[in-house]
Amino acid sequence: MVERDQTKKDIKELARNDKYSILLPTYNEIENLPIIVWLIVKYMDESELDYEIIVIDDGSPDGTLDMAKQLQNVYGENKIVLRPREKKLGLGTAYMHGIKHATGNFIVIMDADLSHHPKFIPKMIEQQRYLDLDIVSGTRYAQGGGVYGWDFKRKLISRGANFLTQLLLRPGASDLTGSFRLYKKDVLEKLTQSCVSKGYVFQMEMIVRARQFKYTIGEVPITFVDRVYGESKLGGSEIFQFVKGLLYLFATT
Amino acid sequence: MTKLMEWLLFAVLFFSIWIALISENVNLHFIKEWKQFVLFLPPVVLFVCGLYAATVVLYRTFTFNNCEQAAIELQEQIEEAKKDLQTKGIVLKCK
């Protein structure tokens, strides 16, 4: 416990000039948004780090934005920043939109559906600060990481796809399709500008391009708890998109 | 060089050596003794690689960590968060 307190103090000291902008792209996340915000606040306050949460809602019909406004009233306008967009415009542009309004020098991107737990953010920050990394990526595939709520078929597809990706792209990171990462702001800016893919192929391309630009990448094992509220998606068209994206990166990078 | 180019380069190298060997352009005593094996080398290599891939993927699938504890922790925290948010005056959407 004493050691942990010491680590916490060290991190706080190391990150005293840093601010972390946490981007939350949302679409119909009215149930998850308050919980994820509560958890982020809990863990970031515990670690005494400077941060802001930028909610980028793509015109959800379920009232996610109103919920975000309620949260803003409670936690303050400097903690919860609302940057809504009219309609669904894709992840890549959501990040660009978020970066434009971010006041931090580091950006955390994560899903708002509770599959990514905010308790891992301080761990990413710790690793980043000690090694001065450009990117820290959460990984489900490393020792200590894992998934919950996946059946055999889903696990098999995931492992198979990961094996194929590692074999063909040798990316230097174990989880390419995950989207729980910490970036230096300028690094994320450069990457989003040079990536053309959509969906979660976009996440793969970010890491592959990062390797091309010789950015340093670290990894933190994360547990991935599949959507508590709402539907999880992995159908034939997702697999097709993945294969197409993989082959595109294989042939062009 | 793209990854595709690397693979093609490797494949061309492999097949040129293989063709040189089976067409007996290279006269090595060793190759003659192993003629049958050399002849079937490509499918054998493919089979071994496939077997390796299947084993690794299946092994990793069966040993893919199930985070029961993380799911339980999250459920507890959701309840805690809901209570705390409601005391702060937030109207949560009821199911």
Side-chain angles (χ1 to χ4, degrees):
Chain A
M1 208 53 214
V2 178
E3 243 174 72
R4 248 180 80 187
D5 286 344
Q6 188 59 44
T7 313
K8 217 179 94 180
K9 252 169 71 186
D10 291 348
I11 301 302
K12 201 188 144 194
E13 179 61 24
L14 275 168
R16 72 174 186 280
N17 296 321
D18 297 322
K19 183 171 180 180
Y20 299 87
S21 299
I22 300 161
L23 302 191
L24 285 180
T26 58
Y27 187 77
N28 286 349
E29 300 286 3
I30 190 164
E31 283 159 330
N32 294 319
L33 186 68
I35 316 283
I36 193 83
V37 166
W38 187 86
L39 284 168
I40 292 171
V41 169
K42 174 181 156 76
Y43 285 95
M44 294 305 276
D45 282 351
E46 257 173 31
S47 309
E48 297 177 51
L49 296 158
D50 192 15
Y51 67 98
E52 64 184 351
I53 303 168
I54 303 179
V55 180
I56 305 151
D57 185 60
D58 277 4
S60 307
D62 73 345
T64 304
L65 189 59
D66 295 329
M67 176 54 77
K69 278 177 189 153
Q70 281 195 60
L71 291 162
Q72 195 181 36
N73 289 335
V74 170
Y75 291 109
E77 279 181 24
N78 58 335
K79 282 277 172 281
I80 315 280
V81 181
L82 307 182
R83 293 288 173 254
R85 302 190 297 176
E86 296 268 292
K87 56 179 180 3
K88 253 190 143 171
L89 292 164
L91 219 48
T93 58
Y95 293 147
M96 271 190 234
H97 185 75
I99 294 166
K100 226 168 36 198
H101 300 285
T103 59
N105 54 337
F106 286 96
I107 311 263
V108 175
I109 59 171
M110 66 189 299
D111 292 349
D113 63 3
L114 298 178
S115 55
H116 295 150
H117 199 296
K119 71 181 170 189
F120 296 109
I121 300 174
K123 287 186 185 167
M124 291 178 173
I125 292 172
E126 183 181 346
Q127 199 183 90
Q128 193 288 324
R129 288 283 60 187
Y130 280 135
L131 302 169
D132 192 30
L133 299 160
D134 295 314
I135 302 166
V136 179
S137 172
T139 176
R140 296 161 287 181
Y141 302 108
Q143 195 67 42
V147 292
Y148 177 81
W150 283 14
D151 58 5
F152 180 79
K153 189 183 143 205
R154 180 93 195 246
K155 282 183 175 176
L156 183 67
I157 292 171
S158 173
R159 280 300 197 182
N162 187 252
F163 182 84
L164 205 61
T165 312
Q166 295 297 329
L167 181 72
L168 295 183
L169 303 179
R170 299 196 303 279
S174 60
D175 195 342
L176 260 66
T177 47
S179 51
F180 192 1
R181 291 174 190 159
L182 168 73
Y183 293 87
K184 282 182 182 165
K185 190 182 178 182
D186 54 321
V187 168
L188 183 63
E189 238 168 346
K190 179 146 186 223
L191 285 174
T192 44
Q193 276 159 15
S194 46
C195 289
V196 294
S197 310
K198 298 266 177 298
Y200 63 100
V201 174
F202 178 76
Q203 307 293 354
M204 288 168 60
E205 189 175 3
M206 297 270 268
I207 292 292
V208 173
R209 301 268 175 228
R211 188 206 55 207
Q212 280 188 318
F213 295 142
K214 307 266 187 270
Y215 288 139
T216 49
I217 307 170
E219 290 194 309
V220 166
I222 57 159
T223 54
F224 181 96
V225 178
D226 212 352
R227 291 184 71 99
V228 182
Y229 303 113
E231 291 258 313
S232 178
K233 45 203 183 305
L234 179 72
S237 84
E238 269 76 30
I239 295 171
F240 175 71
Q241 288 301 323
F242 167 79
V243 172
K244 217 174 79 179
L246 181 61
L247 291 179
Y248 164 74
L249 292 173
F250 178 60
T252 57
T253 64
Chain B
M1 189 158 56
T2 67
K3 289 282 178 286
L4 176 65
M5 284 303 167
E6 285 176 23
W7 280 74
L8 286 177
L9 185 72
F10 179 79
V12 168
L13 260 166
F14 176 83
F15 278 103
S16 341
I17 295 169
W18 180 68
I19 287 165
L21 292 181
I22 57 163
S23 60
E24 294 179 0
N25 280 331
V26 187
N27 257 323
L28 284 174
H29 184 65
F30 168 79
I31 299 300
K32 280 195 185 117
E33 258 176 55
W34 289 84
K35 187 137 203 296
Q36 284 298 312
F37 179 73
V38 172
L39 202 59
F40 290 105
L41 200 57
V44 167
V45 167
L46 205 65
F47 178 75
V48 170
C49 288
L51 204 64
Y52 168 76
T55 314
V56 168
V57 169
L58 277 176
Y59 175 76
R60 287 180 182 168
T61 304
F62 282 114
T63 56
F64 209 156
N65 192 13
N66 252 329
C67 327
E68 301 280 346
Q69 206 47 52
I72 294 166
E73 184 196 15
L74 180 62
Q75 278 308 333
E76 287 168 0
Q77 287 183 329
I78 288 174
E79 292 314 313
E80 201 187 330
K82 279 183 176 166
K83 272 192 205 128
D84 187 49
L85 287 165
Q86 273 160 346
T87 61
K88 287 190 165 97
I90 287 184
V91 188
L92 297 169
K93 191 191 162 195
C94 294
K95 280 214 146 178

